[in-house]
Amino acid sequence: PEFLLTHPLSQERIADSTLRARQLPQTGELNSLDYLLIRTRLLAIINSKDTSNISLLQKQLQEQPNNEVNRLALAFALLNADEYQAARAEVNTLRQQAPQRIDYVIAQADIELADNQPKIALDVLQQALLLNPNNDALRFYAASAAIKTQQYPLALTWLTSLSFERPEDPNVWHKLIEVYQAQKAGVDLLRARAEYSFLVGNIDKALKDLEQAKRLAQNNYPLLAKINVRFLTLTELKAN
């Protein structure tokens, strides 16, 4: 959902929610568990400053202890209140019920990343990726965790494939910028910045970055050819 981009929220949670929403079946039921869990996540992100519903959710769970939607909502409310241990306990309960459900894996990663435990988050995500190697949200979150642990080549294994599969997603290019900045990879950084700028509507900046990338790639003819093709494409788009 693009409206999330207008909220001052963490990039990981916005990007993941967008990816998860896009992966829902087009003909899914509005009261399905998949839909309700995604809705719960989005509401928790939008209302991230509101923790007043914790008591109500706890009471509802006492009455309906098997209600997964309410338990996930409680976990996010506790996370938003920085009550990480309590949030972990709720997500652990959910993962005991459905160990491989991606919504719960991502929720656990959310908690670990918020609590400055990126290595734990990365381990959780890598285990989930063994069973779901092509899941967009898991790969994006794993890349984010890898960046936080300064494992930049590992992050690139996921982000590079995502950039080919989702070239229209600015969140992917933004993460690539993080990696290339850390690696001081000049040409790759400029190309990623160009793609990001183009996707957010700043085509002039994109062209400037590509111009600079061309200068740096003068002695790498295959790479220079790719940059020239992209520069020409964006130039034509600007003209139209």
Side-chain angles (χ1 to χ4, degrees):
E2 303 349 349
F3 73 88
L4 288 176
L5 298 175
T6 65
H7 288 71
L9 308 169
S10 81
Q11 185 199 12
E12 287 81 8
R13 296 183 77 183
I14 296 169
D16 160 66
S17 298
T18 303
L19 291 170
R20 295 286 294 125
R22 286 173 176 169
Q23 288 181 323
L24 285 175
Q26 292 293 319
T27 57
E29 297 179 9
L30 291 183
N31 63 347
S32 70
L33 182 58
D34 283 337
Y35 169 81
L36 292 173
L37 292 175
I38 289 291
R39 181 176 180 274
T40 296
R41 180 177 180 79
L42 295 178
L43 290 174
I45 294 173
I46 294 168
N47 301 316
S48 60
K49 302 300 181 183
D50 183 10
T51 58
S52 61
N53 60 340
I54 290 177
S55 296
L56 175 60
L57 289 167
Q58 288 171 330
K59 181 180 178 181
Q60 290 175 338
L61 276 175
Q62 288 178 349
E63 298 169 356
Q64 294 180 302
N66 294 323
N67 189 311
E68 295 180 50
V69 175
N70 283 350
R71 193 172 296 280
L72 184 63
L74 176 58
F76 282 132
L78 292 166
L79 169 60
N80 290 337
D82 298 334
E83 296 184 29
Y84 302 125
Q85 282 301 103
R88 280 189 188 94
E90 301 303 335
V91 171
N92 286 342
T93 298
L94 289 168
R95 295 209 63 194
Q96 288 172 5
Q97 293 176 271
Q100 304 307 327
R101 179 170 278 278
I102 291 170
D103 303 88
Y104 305 155
V105 174
I106 294 293
Q108 184 177 353
D110 256 331
I111 295 165
E112 302 304 343
L113 290 171
D115 197 23
N116 197 28
Q117 300 293 332
K119 290 183 179 179
I120 296 175
L122 182 57
D123 182 59
V124 168
L125 292 159
Q126 285 182 297
Q127 289 182 36
L129 279 164
L130 292 175
L131 293 178
N132 301 279
N134 297 317
N135 182 271
D136 291 351
L138 288 176
R139 285 186 290 167
F140 184 87
Y141 247 72
S144 299
I147 291 171
K148 290 178 187 289
T149 60
Q150 299 183 354
Q151 297 185 59
Y152 303 116
L154 180 60
L156 283 176
T157 63
W158 294 304
L159 291 174
T160 302
S161 60
L162 282 170
S163 71
F164 285 111
E165 296 164 23
R166 303 191 60 80
E168 80 292 348
D169 190 338
N171 295 298
V172 173
W173 293 106
H174 194 275
K175 279 295 169 190
L176 280 168
I177 290 170
E178 282 189 58
V179 173
Y180 293 139
Q181 281 179 331
Q183 293 183 322
K184 296 181 170 57
V187 176
D188 290 330
L189 172 60
L190 289 165
R191 295 179 72 195
R193 278 172 38 180
E195 295 303 325
Y196 178 80
S197 296
F198 168 66
L199 290 170
V200 299
N202 193 344
I203 196 166
D204 288 328
K205 186 178 185 308
L207 289 170
K208 285 182 180 179
D209 284 332
L210 289 175
E211 281 279 18
Q212 191 174 351
K214 286 198 290 183
R215 289 194 289 272
L216 292 180
Q218 283 299 319
N219 296 323
N220 186 332
Y221 298 111
L223 178 59
L224 181 60
K226 291 180 182 178
I227 298 172
N228 280 327
V229 168
R230 189 59 175 154
F231 184 86
L232 179 60
T233 299
L234 295 193
T235 301
E236 291 174 349
L237 286 172
K238 182 183 177 181
N240 295 330

PDB file of all heavy atoms in Angstrom, residues 118-155:
ATOM      1  N   PRO A 118      20.318  -7.868  15.624  1.00  0.00           N
ATOM      2  CA  PRO A 118      20.222  -8.239  14.205  1.00  0.00           C
ATOM      3  C   PRO A 118      20.756  -9.631  13.889  1.00  0.00           C
ATOM      4  O   PRO A 118      20.289 -10.265  12.940  1.00  0.00           O
ATOM      5  CB  PRO A 118      21.045  -7.151  13.497  1.00  0.00           C
ATOM      6  CG  PRO A 118      21.993  -6.660  14.544  1.00  0.00           C
ATOM      7  CD  PRO A 118      21.231  -6.732  15.831  1.00  0.00           C
ATOM      8  N   LYS A 119      21.723 -10.124  14.655  1.00  0.00           N
ATOM      9  CA  LYS A 119      22.245 -11.470  14.391  1.00  0.00           C
ATOM     10  C   LYS A 119      21.176 -12.523  14.646  1.00  0.00           C
ATOM     11  O   LYS A 119      21.062 -13.498  13.891  1.00  0.00           O
ATOM     12  CB  LYS A 119      23.484 -11.733  15.252  1.00  0.00           C
ATOM     13  CG  LYS A 119      24.700 -10.924  14.838  1.00  0.00           C
ATOM     14  CD  LYS A 119      25.925 -11.281  15.676  1.00  0.00           C
ATOM     15  CE  LYS A 119      27.143 -10.469  15.235  1.00  0.00           C
ATOM     16  NZ  LYS A 119      28.338 -10.787  16.052  1.00  0.00           N
ATOM     17  N   ILE A 120      20.404 -12.334  15.711  1.00  0.00           N
ATOM     18  CA  ILE A 120      19.313 -13.269  15.996  1.00  0.00           C
ATOM     19  C   ILE A 120      18.264 -13.186  14.889  1.00  0.00           C
ATOM     20  O   ILE A 120      17.763 -14.206  14.396  1.00  0.00           O
ATOM     21  CB  ILE A 120      18.686 -12.981  17.363  1.00  0.00           C
ATOM     22  CG1 ILE A 120      19.718 -13.214  18.473  1.00  0.00           C
ATOM     23  CG2 ILE A 120      17.449 -13.850  17.592  1.00  0.00           C
ATOM     24  CD1 ILE A 120      19.223 -12.840  19.863  1.00  0.00           C
ATOM     25  N   ALA A 121      17.931 -11.955  14.499  1.00  0.00           N
ATOM     26  CA  ALA A 121      16.953 -11.762  13.425  1.00  0.00           C
ATOM     27  C   ALA A 121      17.414 -12.454  12.147  1.00  0.00           C
ATOM     28  O   ALA A 121      16.634 -13.135  11.470  1.00  0.00           O
ATOM     29  CB  ALA A 121      16.728 -10.272  13.179  1.00  0.00           C
ATOM     30  N   LEU A 122      18.687 -12.286  11.813  1.00  0.00           N
ATOM     31  CA  LEU A 122      19.225 -12.890  10.593  1.00  0.00           C
ATOM     32  C   LEU A 122      19.141 -14.408  10.648  1.00  0.00           C
ATOM     33  O   LEU A 122      18.774 -15.063   9.662  1.00  0.00           O
ATOM     34  CB  LEU A 122      20.670 -12.440  10.381  1.00  0.00           C
ATOM     35  CG  LEU A 122      21.368 -12.936   9.117  1.00  0.00           C
ATOM     36  CD1 LEU A 122      20.600 -12.543   7.867  1.00  0.00           C
ATOM     37  CD2 LEU A 122      22.793 -12.397   9.059  1.00  0.00           C
ATOM     38  N   ASP A 123      19.451 -14.980  11.787  1.00  0.00           N
ATOM     39  CA  ASP A 123      19.382 -16.434  11.937  1.00  0.00           C
ATOM     40  C   ASP A 123      17.958 -16.936  11.745  1.00  0.00           C
ATOM     41  O   ASP A 123      17.712 -17.923  11.051  1.00  0.00           O
ATOM     42  CB  ASP A 123      19.906 -16.840  13.318  1.00  0.00           C
ATOM     43  CG  ASP A 123      19.891 -18.353  13.509  1.00  0.00           C
ATOM     44  OD1 ASP A 123      20.548 -19.056  12.720  1.00  0.00           O
ATOM     45  OD2 ASP A 123      19.204 -18.834  14.433  1.00  0.00           O
ATOM     46  N   VAL A 124      16.995 -16.242  12.357  1.00  0.00           N
ATOM     47  CA  VAL A 124      15.578 -16.610  12.225  1.00  0.00           C
ATOM     48  C   VAL A 124      15.154 -16.553  10.762  1.00  0.00           C
ATOM     49  O   VAL A 124      14.482 -17.466  10.245  1.00  0.00           O
ATOM     50  CB  VAL A 124      14.708 -15.669  13.081  1.00  0.00           C
ATOM     51  CG1 VAL A 124      13.226 -15.830  12.741  1.00  0.00           C
ATOM     52  CG2 VAL A 124      14.946 -15.924  14.562  1.00  0.00           C
ATOM     53  N   LEU A 125      15.540 -15.500  10.084  1.00  0.00           N
ATOM     54  CA  LEU A 125      15.134 -15.302   8.694  1.00  0.00           C
ATOM     55  C   LEU A 125      15.797 -16.309   7.759  1.00  0.00           C
ATOM     56  O   LEU A 125      15.161 -16.820   6.835  1.00  0.00           O
ATOM     57  CB  LEU A 125      15.466 -13.877   8.264  1.00  0.00           C
ATOM     58  CG  LEU A 125      14.631 -12.802   8.968  1.00  0.00           C
ATOM     59  CD1 LEU A 125      15.326 -11.450   8.896  1.00  0.00           C
ATOM     60  CD2 LEU A 125      13.231 -12.732   8.363  1.00  0.00           C
ATOM     61  N   GLN A 126      17.059 -16.611   8.000  1.00  0.00           N
ATOM     62  CA  GLN A 126      17.747 -17.589   7.156  1.00  0.00           C
ATOM     63  C   GLN A 126      17.133 -18.979   7.302  1.00  0.00           C
ATOM     64  O   GLN A 126      17.028 -19.725   6.323  1.00  0.00           O
ATOM     65  CB  GLN A 126      19.238 -17.620   7.486  1.00  0.00           C
ATOM     66  CG  GLN A 126      20.000 -16.422   6.950  1.00  0.00           C
ATOM     67  CD  GLN A 126      21.492 -16.487   7.254  1.00  0.00           C
ATOM     68  OE1 GLN A 126      21.904 -16.478   8.406  1.00  0.00           O
ATOM     69  NE2 GLN A 126      22.299 -16.558   6.222  1.00  0.00           N
ATOM     70  N   GLN A 127      16.729 -19.326   8.511  1.00  0.00           N
ATOM     71  CA  GLN A 127      16.057 -20.615   8.696  1.00  0.00           C
ATOM     72  C   GLN A 127      14.755 -20.654   7.920  1.00  0.00           C
ATOM     73  O   GLN A 127      14.431 -21.668   7.282  1.00  0.00           O
ATOM     74  CB  GLN A 127      15.796 -20.845  10.190  1.00  0.00           C
ATOM     75  CG  GLN A 127      17.055 -21.131  11.003  1.00  0.00           C
ATOM     76  CD  GLN A 127      16.735 -21.392  12.464  1.00  0.00           C
ATOM     77  OE1 GLN A 127      15.717 -21.993  12.798  1.00  0.00           O
ATOM     78  NE2 GLN A 127      17.596 -20.924  13.350  1.00  0.00           N
ATOM     79  N   ALA A 128      13.995 -19.562   7.955  1.00  0.00           N
ATOM     80  CA  ALA A 128      12.732 -19.517   7.209  1.00  0.00           C
ATOM     81  C   ALA A 128      12.975 -19.567   5.704  1.00  0.00           C
ATOM     82  O   ALA A 128      12.183 -20.159   4.957  1.00  0.00           O
ATOM     83  CB  ALA A 128      11.959 -18.255   7.589  1.00  0.00           C
ATOM     84  N   LEU A 129      14.070 -18.970   5.255  1.00  0.00           N
ATOM     85  CA  LEU A 129      14.371 -18.957   3.821  1.00  0.00           C
ATOM     86  C   LEU A 129      14.748 -20.338   3.283  1.00  0.00           C
ATOM     87  O   LEU A 129      14.659 -20.576   2.079  1.00  0.00           O
ATOM     88  CB  LEU A 129      15.504 -17.966   3.536  1.00  0.00           C
ATOM     89  CG  LEU A 129      15.063 -16.498   3.453  1.00  0.00           C
ATOM     90  CD1 LEU A 129      16.262 -15.572   3.556  1.00  0.00           C
ATOM     91  CD2 LEU A 129      14.301 -16.251   2.159  1.00  0.00           C
ATOM     92  N   LEU A 130      15.165 -21.239   4.160  1.00  0.00           N
ATOM     93  CA  LEU A 130      15.453 -22.596   3.707  1.00  0.00           C
ATOM     94  C   LEU A 130      14.205 -23.256   3.129  1.00  0.00           C
ATOM     95  O   LEU A 130      14.274 -24.044   2.187  1.00  0.00           O
ATOM     96  CB  LEU A 130      16.000 -23.436   4.865  1.00  0.00           C
ATOM     97  CG  LEU A 130      17.382 -23.041   5.390  1.00  0.00           C
ATOM     98  CD1 LEU A 130      17.739 -23.883   6.612  1.00  0.00           C
ATOM     99  CD2 LEU A 130      18.451 -23.193   4.305  1.00  0.00           C
ATOM    100  N   LEU A 131      13.044 -22.915   3.687  1.00  0.00           N
ATOM    101  CA  LEU A 131      11.777 -23.474   3.211  1.00  0.00           C
ATOM    102  C   LEU A 131      11.077 -22.559   2.212  1.00  0.00           C
ATOM    103  O   LEU A 131      10.245 -23.018   1.427  1.00  0.00           O
ATOM    104  CB  LEU A 131      10.843 -23.739   4.396  1.00  0.00           C
ATOM    105  CG  LEU A 131      11.278 -24.836   5.364  1.00  0.00           C
ATOM    106  CD1 LEU A 131      10.287 -24.949   6.518  1.00  0.00           C
ATOM    107  CD2 LEU A 131      11.393 -26.178   4.643  1.00  0.00           C
ATOM    108  N   ASN A 132      11.407 -21.258   2.250  1.00  0.00           N
ATOM    109  CA  ASN A 132      10.750 -20.297   1.360  1.00  0.00           C
ATOM    110  C   ASN A 132      11.818 -19.421   0.701  1.00  0.00           C
ATOM    111  O   ASN A 132      11.871 -18.202   0.933  1.00  0.00           O
ATOM    112  CB  ASN A 132       9.784 -19.415   2.157  1.00  0.00           C
ATOM    113  CG  ASN A 132       8.715 -20.215   2.867  1.00  0.00           C
ATOM    114  OD1 ASN A 132       7.717 -20.601   2.274  1.00  0.00           O
ATOM    115  ND2 ASN A 132       8.931 -20.471   4.155  1.00  0.00           N
ATOM    116  N   PRO A 133      12.678 -20.015  -0.130  1.00  0.00           N
ATOM    117  CA  PRO A 133      13.833 -19.277  -0.643  1.00  0.00           C
ATOM    118  C   PRO A 133      13.495 -18.113  -1.559  1.00  0.00           C
ATOM    119  O   PRO A 133      14.327 -17.216  -1.741  1.00  0.00           O
ATOM    120  CB  PRO A 133      14.637 -20.345  -1.399  1.00  0.00           C
ATOM    121  CG  PRO A 133      13.620 -21.390  -1.759  1.00  0.00           C
ATOM    122  CD  PRO A 133      12.647 -21.408  -0.617  1.00  0.00           C
ATOM    123  N   ASN A 134      12.295 -18.107  -2.121  1.00  0.00           N
ATOM    124  CA  ASN A 134      11.941 -17.049  -3.070  1.00  0.00           C
ATOM    125  C   ASN A 134      10.962 -16.030  -2.504  1.00  0.00           C
ATOM    126  O   ASN A 134      10.446 -15.192  -3.252  1.00  0.00           O
ATOM    127  CB  ASN A 134      11.347 -17.665  -4.343  1.00  0.00           C
ATOM    128  CG  ASN A 134      12.352 -18.550  -5.058  1.00  0.00           C
ATOM    129  OD1 ASN A 134      13.518 -18.196  -5.200  1.00  0.00           O
ATOM    130  ND2 ASN A 134      11.901 -19.718  -5.494  1.00  0.00           N
ATOM    131  N   ASN A 135      10.724 -16.082  -1.200  1.00  0.00           N
ATOM    132  CA  ASN A 135       9.763 -15.145  -0.618  1.00  0.00           C
ATOM    133  C   ASN A 135      10.361 -13.740  -0.560  1.00  0.00           C
ATOM    134  O   ASN A 135      11.428 -13.523   0.020  1.00  0.00           O
ATOM    135  CB  ASN A 135       9.364 -15.607   0.782  1.00  0.00           C
ATOM    136  CG  ASN A 135       8.329 -14.698   1.400  1.00  0.00           C
ATOM    137  OD1 ASN A 135       8.662 -13.720   2.048  1.00  0.00           O
ATOM    138  ND2 ASN A 135       7.065 -15.019   1.179  1.00  0.00           N
ATOM    139  N   ASP A 136       9.676 -12.783  -1.151  1.00  0.00           N
ATOM    140  CA  ASP A 136      10.203 -11.420  -1.250  1.00  0.00           C
ATOM    141  C   ASP A 136      10.409 -10.777   0.120  1.00  0.00           C
ATOM    142  O   ASP A 136      11.441 -10.164   0.383  1.00  0.00           O
ATOM    143  CB  ASP A 136       9.252 -10.550  -2.078  1.00  0.00           C
ATOM    144  CG  ASP A 136       9.233 -10.932  -3.539  1.00  0.00           C
ATOM    145  OD1 ASP A 136      10.074 -11.763  -3.940  1.00  0.00           O
ATOM    146  OD2 ASP A 136       8.379 -10.416  -4.282  1.00  0.00           O
ATOM    147  N   ALA A 137       9.408 -10.884   0.982  1.00  0.00           N
ATOM    148  CA  ALA A 137       9.493 -10.224   2.285  1.00  0.00           C
ATOM    149  C   ALA A 137      10.621 -10.805   3.125  1.00  0.00           C
ATOM    150  O   ALA A 137      11.368 -10.063   3.777  1.00  0.00           O
ATOM    151  CB  ALA A 137       8.157 -10.356   3.032  1.00  0.00           C
ATOM    152  N   LEU A 138      10.775 -12.112   3.120  1.00  0.00           N
ATOM    153  CA  LEU A 138      11.848 -12.744   3.888  1.00  0.00           C
ATOM    154  C   LEU A 138      13.212 -12.316   3.363  1.00  0.00           C
ATOM    155  O   LEU A 138      14.138 -12.027   4.141  1.00  0.00           O
ATOM    156  CB  LEU A 138      11.726 -14.263   3.838  1.00  0.00           C
ATOM    157  CG  LEU A 138      10.593 -14.900   4.642  1.00  0.00           C
ATOM    158  CD1 LEU A 138      10.569 -16.409   4.398  1.00  0.00           C
ATOM    159  CD2 LEU A 138      10.745 -14.607   6.132  1.00  0.00           C
ATOM    160  N   ARG A 139      13.366 -12.264   2.053  1.00  0.00           N
ATOM    161  CA  ARG A 139      14.656 -11.875   1.478  1.00  0.00           C
ATOM    162  C   ARG A 139      14.981 -10.415   1.799  1.00  0.00           C
ATOM    163  O   ARG A 139      16.126 -10.083   2.131  1.00  0.00           O
ATOM    164  CB  ARG A 139      14.649 -12.094  -0.039  1.00  0.00           C
ATOM    165  CG  ARG A 139      14.758 -13.564  -0.427  1.00  0.00           C
ATOM    166  CD  ARG A 139      14.903 -13.733  -1.924  1.00  0.00           C
ATOM    167  NE  ARG A 139      13.678 -13.401  -2.633  1.00  0.00           N
ATOM    168  CZ  ARG A 139      13.588 -13.218  -3.949  1.00  0.00           C
ATOM    169  NH1 ARG A 139      14.685 -13.303  -4.702  1.00  0.00           N
ATOM    170  NH2 ARG A 139      12.439 -12.947  -4.522  1.00  0.00           N
ATOM    171  N   PHE A 140      13.973  -9.550   1.715  1.00  0.00           N
ATOM    172  CA  PHE A 140      14.212  -8.140   2.010  1.00  0.00           C
ATOM    173  C   PHE A 140      14.594  -7.960   3.479  1.00  0.00           C
ATOM    174  O   PHE A 140      15.533  -7.229   3.805  1.00  0.00           O
ATOM    175  CB  PHE A 140      12.969  -7.309   1.684  1.00  0.00           C
ATOM    176  CG  PHE A 140      13.177  -5.834   1.875  1.00  0.00           C
ATOM    177  CD1 PHE A 140      13.696  -5.067   0.846  1.00  0.00           C
ATOM    178  CD2 PHE A 140      12.874  -5.218   3.074  1.00  0.00           C
ATOM    179  CE1 PHE A 140      13.913  -3.705   1.017  1.00  0.00           C
ATOM    180  CE2 PHE A 140      13.093  -3.865   3.255  1.00  0.00           C
ATOM    181  CZ  PHE A 140      13.604  -3.106   2.220  1.00  0.00           C
ATOM    182  N   TYR A 141      13.870  -8.621   4.358  1.00  0.00           N
ATOM    183  CA  TYR A 141      14.168  -8.509   5.789  1.00  0.00           C
ATOM    184  C   TYR A 141      15.529  -9.109   6.103  1.00  0.00           C
ATOM    185  O   TYR A 141      16.293  -8.571   6.922  1.00  0.00           O
ATOM    186  CB  TYR A 141      13.078  -9.203   6.602  1.00  0.00           C
ATOM    187  CG  TYR A 141      12.270  -8.237   7.428  1.00  0.00           C
ATOM    188  CD1 TYR A 141      11.366  -7.376   6.815  1.00  0.00           C
ATOM    189  CD2 TYR A 141      12.408  -8.174   8.804  1.00  0.00           C
ATOM    190  CE1 TYR A 141      10.618  -6.492   7.553  1.00  0.00           C
ATOM    191  CE2 TYR A 141      11.664  -7.283   9.547  1.00  0.00           C
ATOM    192  CZ  TYR A 141      10.767  -6.439   8.921  1.00  0.00           C
ATOM    193  OH  TYR A 141      10.029  -5.543   9.656  1.00  0.00           O
ATOM    194  N   ALA A 142      15.856 -10.231   5.480  1.00  0.00           N
ATOM    195  CA  ALA A 142      17.158 -10.853   5.712  1.00  0.00           C
ATOM    196  C   ALA A 142      18.282  -9.934   5.254  1.00  0.00           C
ATOM    197  O   ALA A 142      19.321  -9.811   5.927  1.00  0.00           O
ATOM    198  CB  ALA A 142      17.237 -12.190   4.985  1.00  0.00           C
ATOM    199  N   ALA A 143      18.089  -9.282   4.130  1.00  0.00           N
ATOM    200  CA  ALA A 143      19.089  -8.327   3.650  1.00  0.00           C
ATOM    201  C   ALA A 143      19.266  -7.184   4.639  1.00  0.00           C
ATOM    202  O   ALA A 143      20.397  -6.749   4.919  1.00  0.00           O
ATOM    203  CB  ALA A 143      18.688  -7.796   2.278  1.00  0.00           C
ATOM    204  N   SER A 144      18.162  -6.698   5.193  1.00  0.00           N
ATOM    205  CA  SER A 144      18.237  -5.612   6.178  1.00  0.00           C
ATOM    206  C   SER A 144      19.009  -6.047   7.410  1.00  0.00           C
ATOM    207  O   SER A 144      19.840  -5.299   7.940  1.00  0.00           O
ATOM    208  CB  SER A 144      16.825  -5.166   6.567  1.00  0.00           C
ATOM    209  OG  SER A 144      16.118  -4.682   5.452  1.00  0.00           O
ATOM    210  N   ALA A 145      18.746  -7.269   7.871  1.00  0.00           N
ATOM    211  CA  ALA A 145      19.462  -7.782   9.037  1.00  0.00           C
ATOM    212  C   ALA A 145      20.941  -7.978   8.726  1.00  0.00           C
ATOM    213  O   ALA A 145      21.811  -7.698   9.557  1.00  0.00           O
ATOM    214  CB  ALA A 145      18.834  -9.094   9.502  1.00  0.00           C
ATOM    215  N   ALA A 146      21.241  -8.454   7.522  1.00  0.00           N
ATOM    216  CA  ALA A 146      22.638  -8.650   7.132  1.00  0.00           C
ATOM    217  C   ALA A 146      23.383  -7.319   7.085  1.00  0.00           C
ATOM    218  O   ALA A 146      24.546  -7.229   7.488  1.00  0.00           O
ATOM    219  CB  ALA A 146      22.708  -9.349   5.776  1.00  0.00           C
ATOM    220  N   ILE A 147      22.727  -6.278   6.613  1.00  0.00           N
ATOM    221  CA  ILE A 147      23.350  -4.951   6.588  1.00  0.00           C
ATOM    222  C   ILE A 147      23.670  -4.486   8.002  1.00  0.00           C
ATOM    223  O   ILE A 147      24.747  -3.950   8.273  1.00  0.00           O
ATOM    224  CB  ILE A 147      22.434  -3.936   5.881  1.00  0.00           C
ATOM    225  CG1 ILE A 147      22.358  -4.248   4.379  1.00  0.00           C
ATOM    226  CG2 ILE A 147      22.930  -2.505   6.094  1.00  0.00           C
ATOM    227  CD1 ILE A 147      21.315  -3.446   3.631  1.00  0.00           C
ATOM    228  N   LYS A 148      22.735  -4.707   8.923  1.00  0.00           N
ATOM    229  CA  LYS A 148      22.954  -4.280  10.303  1.00  0.00           C
ATOM    230  C   LYS A 148      24.087  -5.053  10.972  1.00  0.00           C
ATOM    231  O   LYS A 148      24.688  -4.577  11.937  1.00  0.00           O
ATOM    232  CB  LYS A 148      21.657  -4.423  11.107  1.00  0.00           C
ATOM    233  CG  LYS A 148      20.582  -3.417  10.714  1.00  0.00           C
ATOM    234  CD  LYS A 148      19.309  -3.625  11.511  1.00  0.00           C
ATOM    235  CE  LYS A 148      18.178  -2.740  10.995  1.00  0.00           C
ATOM    236  NZ  LYS A 148      18.354  -1.323  11.299  1.00  0.00           N
ATOM    237  N   THR A 149      24.388  -6.255  10.472  1.00  0.00           N
ATOM    238  CA  THR A 149      25.526  -7.016  11.003  1.00  0.00           C
ATOM    239  C   THR A 149      26.771  -6.837  10.135  1.00  0.00           C
ATOM    240  O   THR A 149      27.754  -7.536  10.317  1.00  0.00           O
ATOM    241  CB  THR A 149      25.179  -8.521  11.096  1.00  0.00           C
ATOM    242  OG1 THR A 149      24.848  -9.013   9.794  1.00  0.00           O
ATOM    243  CG2 THR A 149      24.015  -8.756  12.036  1.00  0.00           C
ATOM    244  N   GLN A 150      26.684  -5.892   9.180  1.00  0.00           N
ATOM    245  CA  GLN A 150      27.797  -5.548   8.285  1.00  0.00           C
ATOM    246  C   GLN A 150      28.229  -6.724   7.398  1.00  0.00           C
ATOM    247  O   GLN A 150      29.372  -6.804   6.965  1.00  0.00           O
ATOM    248  CB  GLN A 150      28.993  -5.013   9.080  1.00  0.00           C
ATOM    249  CG  GLN A 150      28.659  -3.749   9.855  1.00  0.00           C
ATOM    250  CD  GLN A 150      29.851  -3.162  10.582  1.00  0.00           C
ATOM    251  OE1 GLN A 150      30.943  -3.738  10.616  1.00  0.00           O
ATOM    252  NE2 GLN A 150      29.669  -1.993  11.173  1.00  0.00           N
ATOM    253  N   GLN A 151      27.290  -7.609   7.098  1.00  0.00           N
ATOM    254  CA  GLN A 151      27.554  -8.712   6.175  1.00  0.00           C
ATOM    255  C   GLN A 151      27.043  -8.307   4.780  1.00  0.00           C
ATOM    256  O   GLN A 151      26.028  -8.805   4.303  1.00  0.00           O
ATOM    257  CB  GLN A 151      26.883  -9.992   6.668  1.00  0.00           C
ATOM    258  CG  GLN A 151      27.413 -10.475   8.012  1.00  0.00           C
ATOM    259  CD  GLN A 151      26.830 -11.809   8.414  1.00  0.00           C
ATOM    260  OE1 GLN A 151      26.969 -12.804   7.715  1.00  0.00           O
ATOM    261  NE2 GLN A 151      26.156 -11.846   9.562  1.00  0.00           N
ATOM    262  N   TYR A 152      27.775  -7.388   4.167  1.00  0.00           N
ATOM    263  CA  TYR A 152      27.296  -6.769   2.932  1.00  0.00           C
ATOM    264  C   TYR A 152      27.229  -7.730   1.743  1.00  0.00           C
ATOM    265  O   TYR A 152      26.244  -7.696   0.984  1.00  0.00           O
ATOM    266  CB  TYR A 152      28.151  -5.545   2.611  1.00  0.00           C
ATOM    267  CG  TYR A 152      28.154  -4.539   3.741  1.00  0.00           C
ATOM    268  CD1 TYR A 152      29.333  -4.239   4.416  1.00  0.00           C
ATOM    269  CD2 TYR A 152      26.974  -3.928   4.155  1.00  0.00           C
ATOM    270  CE1 TYR A 152      29.342  -3.321   5.471  1.00  0.00           C
ATOM    271  CE2 TYR A 152      26.968  -3.022   5.206  1.00  0.00           C
ATOM    272  CZ  TYR A 152      28.156  -2.727   5.863  1.00  0.00           C
ATOM    273  OH  TYR A 152      28.148  -1.837   6.908  1.00  0.00           O
ATOM    274  N   PRO A 153      28.221  -8.601   1.529  1.00  0.00           N
ATOM    275  CA  PRO A 153      28.078  -9.559   0.417  1.00  0.00           C
ATOM    276  C   PRO A 153      26.856 -10.457   0.584  1.00  0.00           C
ATOM    277  O   PRO A 153      26.196 -10.797  -0.404  1.00  0.00           O
ATOM    278  CB  PRO A 153      29.387 -10.363   0.485  1.00  0.00           C
ATOM    279  CG  PRO A 153      30.365  -9.439   1.138  1.00  0.00           C
ATOM    280  CD  PRO A 153      29.555  -8.680   2.151  1.00  0.00           C
ATOM    281  N   LEU A 154      26.552 -10.844   1.827  1.00  0.00           N
ATOM    282  CA  LEU A 154      25.375 -11.671   2.070  1.00  0.00           C
ATOM    283  C   LEU A 154      24.107 -10.894   1.727  1.00  0.00           C
ATOM    284  O   LEU A 154      23.188 -11.427   1.091  1.00  0.00           O
ATOM    285  CB  LEU A 154      25.351 -12.128   3.526  1.00  0.00           C
ATOM    286  CG  LEU A 154      24.167 -13.003   3.948  1.00  0.00           C
ATOM    287  CD1 LEU A 154      24.128 -14.288   3.127  1.00  0.00           C
ATOM    288  CD2 LEU A 154      24.258 -13.331   5.445  1.00  0.00           C
ATOM    289  N   ALA A 155      24.054  -9.644   2.144  1.00  0.00           N
ATOM    290  CA  ALA A 155      22.887  -8.815   1.812  1.00  0.00           C
ATOM    291  C   ALA A 155      22.688  -8.721   0.307  1.00  0.00           C
ATOM    292  O   ALA A 155      21.559  -8.763  -0.202  1.00  0.00           O
ATOM    293  CB  ALA A 155      23.046  -7.423   2.419  1.00  0.00           C
TER     294      ALA A 155
END
